[in-house]
C-alpha cells in the first residue's frame, strides 16, 4: 500500500484511540497529518473537532495506524522522536511559532521554562502567556507541552489529570525521577 493510500481523502479527518496509563488518548488525522490528540470521551472529542474543522469523518483505521503505533511505542518508553506529520491548522500564527519552537528544540527527556520558550520563539510573547499557549495546544504529547515547566516547579497542565499527568510524562521521559510508591 502506498503512502497516498493511507491518507484520508481531502477534506476528511479520521479518528482513533490508544489506551495509556493516563486514560485513552484520542487522535485525529487529516490529509496533512495529526491535527489533534487528547484524553477523554472519544465521542465528545470527535463532535468538537468535526465542528471546529468543518470536515467529514473518514472511517479508515489505516489512516490513524501510524500515529497510534507511535503513541503506543512512546507510552511503552521505546519511542523518543515522533515521525508522523503534524497538521498545524488549529493554531494561530503565534501559537504555531511557539509550539513549533517547542516541537523542534526541546527533545525527549529535556524541559524548558516558560520564559526560556518565550525567548527562544522570538515572538515577543511574555512568559506568562506561554502557559496559555501550552494550555491551548491541540496536539499534546506529540507537540510536547508537558516539557514546558515553571522556573520554580512543574507549572500547570490541562491534559489528562492535570499536573499529575505532566509529572507522569516527565517521569516516563526520565526528566523527573520516579517517586516511591508506598502501596
Amino acid at each position: 500500500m502506498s503512502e497516498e493510500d493511507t491518507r484520508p481523502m481531502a477534506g476528511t479527518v479520521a479518528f482513533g484511540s490508544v489506551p495509556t496509563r493516563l486514560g485513552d488518548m484520542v487522535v485525529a488525522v487529516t490529509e496533512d497529518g495529526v491535527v489533534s490528540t487528547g484524553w477523554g470521551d472519544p465521542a465528545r472529542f470527535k463532535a468538537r473537532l468535526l465542528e471546529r474543522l468543518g470536515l467529514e469523518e473518514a472511517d479508515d483505521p489505516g489512516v490513524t495506524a501510524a500515529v497510534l503505533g507511535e503513541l503506543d511505542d512512546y507510552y511503552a518508553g521505546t519511542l523518543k522522536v515522533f515521525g508522523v506529520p503534524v497538521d498545524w491548522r488549529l493554531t494561530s500564527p503565534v501559537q504555531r511559532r511557539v509550539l513549533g519552537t517547542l516541537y523542534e528544540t526541546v527533545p525527549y527527556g529535556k524541559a524548558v521554562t516558560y520564559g526560556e520558550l518565550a525567548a527562544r520563539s522570538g515572538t515577543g510573547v511574555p512568559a506568562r502567556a506561554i502557559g496559555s499557549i501550552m494550555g491551548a495546544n491541540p496536539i499534546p504529547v506529540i507537540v510536547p507541552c508537558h516539557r514546558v515547566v515553571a522556573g520554580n516547579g512543574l507549572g500547570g497542565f490541562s491534559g489528562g489529570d492535570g499536573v499529575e499527568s505532566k509529572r507522569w510524562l516527565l517521569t516516563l521521559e526520565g526528566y523527573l525521577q520516579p517517586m516511591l510508591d508506598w502501596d
Side-chain angles (χ1 to χ4, degrees):
M1 184 183 290
S2 74
E3 180 180 328
E4 291 166 10
D5 294 334
T6 63
R7 294 180 148 216
M9 296 182 302
T12 63
V13 59
F15 296 91
S17 67
V18 61
T20 78
R21 296 256 328 252
L22 303 175
D24 287 349
M25 177 164 256
V26 186
V27 302
V29 182
T30 69
E31 65 278 1
D32 294 325
V34 181
V35 71
S36 188
T37 60
W39 296 273
D41 177 28
R44 240 176 61 188
F45 180 91
K46 279 184 188 184
R48 189 182 102 254
L49 267 178
L50 287 169
E51 180 179 328
R52 199 165 167 209
L53 291 168
L55 300 175
E56 294 293 319
E57 181 177 356
D59 185 14
D60 185 355
V63 171
T64 59
V67 68
L68 295 176
E70 286 193 10
L71 284 166
D72 259 341
D73 291 346
Y74 170 81
Y75 283 106
T78 60
L79 180 82
K80 293 181 176 25
V81 177
F82 286 95
V84 293
V86 172
D87 179 343
W88 298 98
R89 76 177 74 195
L90 293 177
T91 61
S92 72
V94 170
Q95 289 171 320
R96 166 65 177 97
R97 184 138 174 217
V98 171
L99 291 169
T101 299
L102 169 66
Y103 181 73
E104 295 164 6
T105 68
V106 184
Y108 186 97
K110 302 290 183 191
V112 63
T113 66
Y114 295 102
E116 289 168 338
L117 183 57
R120 272 188 202 183
S121 73
T123 58
V125 171
R128 66 186 175 278
I130 295 295
S132 294
I133 292 172
M134 296 303 104
N137 176 11
I139 315 167
V141 176
I142 293 173
V143 177
C145 52
H146 61 279
R147 296 180 191 155
V148 183
V149 298
N152 62 353
L154 289 182
F157 191 67
S158 59
D161 290 326
V163 75
E164 289 309 311
S165 293
K166 183 175 191 170
R167 183 183 318 279
W168 190 89
L169 292 166
L170 291 171
T171 302
L172 170 71
E173 294 185 5
Y175 178 76
L176 294 177
Q177 294 299 311
M179 296 177 63
L180 295 176
D181 186 4
W182 298 102
D183 290 335

